[in-house]
Amino acid sequence: MVRTLPAAAVLLMAGSISAQPLLTVAEARVDADGDGLPDRMGEVVTIEATATCNGTLFSGGSGLSFYVQDATAGINVYSSAVPGFSIDTGDSLRITGEITQYNGLTEIKPDSEYDLEYLGSPGEPEPSQMVIHQDVSESLEGLLLALGDRSTQQWVTVASHPSQAGGGYNFEVWNGQAAVSIRVDEGTGIDVSGIEPGVRLYIYGLGGQYDSEPPYETGYQLLPRSQSDLQVYSPSVPGQFHLTVWDNPFSPRAGESMHLEYGGPDDCRFSLTVFDRAGRSVAQLVDSRYGGDVMMWDGRDDNDEWLPVGPYVLLLQAVGPDGGRMTTTETVVIAERLD
Ligand SMILES: [Ca+2]
Ligand SMILES: [Ca+2]
């Protein structure tokens, strides 16, 4: 890989000695007393970690603002004092700087280019997979994250139109029951024109936070880095008759819903009915509707009452324009969560 480093940085690579103890990122950012502020705030520390985006991606064009992580945690690197230092995604760096915090975001702040030492380019770290119903939280702040899981076709659904806010756009997605805030920084060049409610996405991005008030427990965000971090889900076989369910079993009384998707040829009318073990129809979720959909079922019957714990059968029927019928079923289980 061809790299351009300032002469001073090249000299540093020849062997510098850092006065600060080498900490893991988790040690550098620790908040053991849980007050929302890093316990080492104001301390100068040294870490070794790998960049998960380029050095100026979030800097607004001057200085550095990017993210690094090691095996323990991730952190934002921020410095207005280090212009022109070329850092690529996947570069490993030794970084010395003061631990600070900006609107809830824990940062390490190098003072000059001498505080940054290039160690090699091991490549982009694997993203940490978020699970269904999970939001970004303090333990995920600074890490490269995957929201939605392509391997199990577990996408997230856009909940709101992007709204312009301070040099970028914000929108929300549903990850199961969790509303996750997505922050699109305009420095990323991401086009949000195709983002609208109902669009299904797999999202990669960095865990961030923007919370202007103590105790800094809210305002967590996911920050995609490029257009390819926002991947629109499209079914592998468009128009194919199908019924797919997730979150099964689920516990309605614990606030859980089941997600499902059905679809098929555009000219079919769909009906989706829930039957109990005795074969009685207990809930009509879809009735003679054209077109497929993604929806949630909260485990209630047609009288808006919670159904008892147990197995149920979902029956999807599609009737074509010539009266031809297709049917498929899925067994789902309403469970009681034992806490
Ligand atoms: Ca603290
Ligand atoms: Ca934080």
Side-chain angles (χ1 to χ4, degrees):
M1 182 188 258
V2 178
R3 301 195 47 81
T4 50
L5 289 176
V10 175
L11 280 176
L12 273 174
M13 288 168 65
S16 76
I17 296 162
S18 171
Q20 283 71 36
L22 184 64
L23 301 182
T24 66
V25 175
E27 289 167 340
R29 62 169 299 130
V30 68
D31 176 23
D33 59 7
D35 66 352
L37 297 169
D39 300 348
R40 295 185 193 273
M41 191 127 128
E43 270 183 52
V44 175
V45 305
T46 297
I47 58 172
E48 287 180 4
T50 303
T52 45
C53 63
N54 77 60
T56 55
L57 189 62
F58 297 105
S59 71
S62 67
L64 296 174
S65 181
F66 66 107
Y67 290 79
V68 296
Q69 66 185 62
D70 65 8
T72 66
I75 193 168
N76 179 257
V77 184
Y78 176 82
S79 178
S80 55
V82 188
F85 193 99
S86 164
I87 294 160
D88 288 333
T89 307
D91 286 356
S92 172
L93 302 159
R94 182 173 300 139
I95 303 168
T96 298
E98 184 184 332
I99 297 295
T100 66
Q101 194 245 39
Y102 176 75
N103 287 313
L105 184 67
T106 297
E107 301 175 334
I108 182 167
K109 206 168 171 182
D111 236 1
S112 76
E113 59 195 292
Y114 303 105
D115 288 338
L116 288 162
E117 198 177 334
Y118 172 69
L119 302 174
S121 293
E124 182 178 307
E126 277 294 306
S128 300
Q129 179 66 58
M130 293 172 70
V131 298
I132 184 134
H133 311 312
Q134 189 179 17
D135 194 1
V136 180
S137 59
E138 192 64 29
S139 62
L140 299 183
E141 185 191 301
L143 284 172
L144 181 60
L145 302 171
L147 178 62
D149 186 350
R150 187 172 278 281
S151 68
T152 57
Q153 292 205 334
Q154 176 66 65
W155 60 73
V156 297
T157 308
V158 176
S160 64
H161 284 281
S163 60
Q164 205 154 12
Y169 294 88
N170 298 332
F171 65 95
E172 296 212 312
V173 298
W174 286 112
N175 176 29
Q177 318 275 319
V180 180
S181 295
I182 311 299
R183 168 68 181 170
V184 177
D185 193 282
E186 68 187 358
T188 62
I190 293 172
D191 174 10
V192 296
S193 59
I195 302 298
E196 51 185 73
V199 168
R200 303 165 212 163
L201 297 170
Y202 302 109
I203 309 178
Y204 298 96
L206 297 155
Q209 188 179 22
Y210 192 92
D211 181 358
S212 54
E213 286 178 8
Y216 307 109
E217 288 171 334
T218 64
Y220 292 100
Q221 306 171 320
L222 186 64
L223 297 92
R225 302 161 297 170
S226 66
Q227 198 74 45
S228 63
D229 276 352
L230 288 182
Q231 299 183 358
V232 177
Y233 164 83
S234 50
S236 49
V237 186
Q240 190 178 59
F241 181 63
H242 70 283
L243 170 64
T244 311
V245 301
W246 291 270
D247 321 319
N248 182 25
F250 70 116
S251 306
R253 285 180 170 77
E256 295 177 1
S257 294
M258 193 189 69
H259 280 62
L260 63 92
E261 188 206 57
Y262 67 92
D266 282 343
D267 54 3
C268 282
R269 282 182 295 122
F270 294 93
S271 301
L272 184 57
T273 313
V274 183
F275 292 89
D276 68 10
R277 215 180 332 200
R280 286 182 297 249
S281 162
V282 291
Q284 188 80 48
L285 304 184
V286 174
D287 192 12
S288 289
R289 265 192 50 180
Y290 281 100
D293 200 4
V294 180
M295 55 184 292
M296 285 163 58
W297 178 43
D298 62 2
R300 291 173 189 267
D301 67 12
D302 286 336
N303 299 317
D304 211 26
E305 306 280 346
W306 270 319
L307 285 164
V309 166
Y312 293 85
V313 171
L314 289 184
L315 171 68
L316 178 70
Q317 287 197 79
V319 180
D322 57 357
R325 218 170 261 271
M326 290 181 280
T327 61
T328 187
T329 59
E330 279 282 347
T331 301
V332 300
V333 175
I334 291 180
E336 198 80 73
R337 200 156 71 183
L338 303 171
D339 288 323

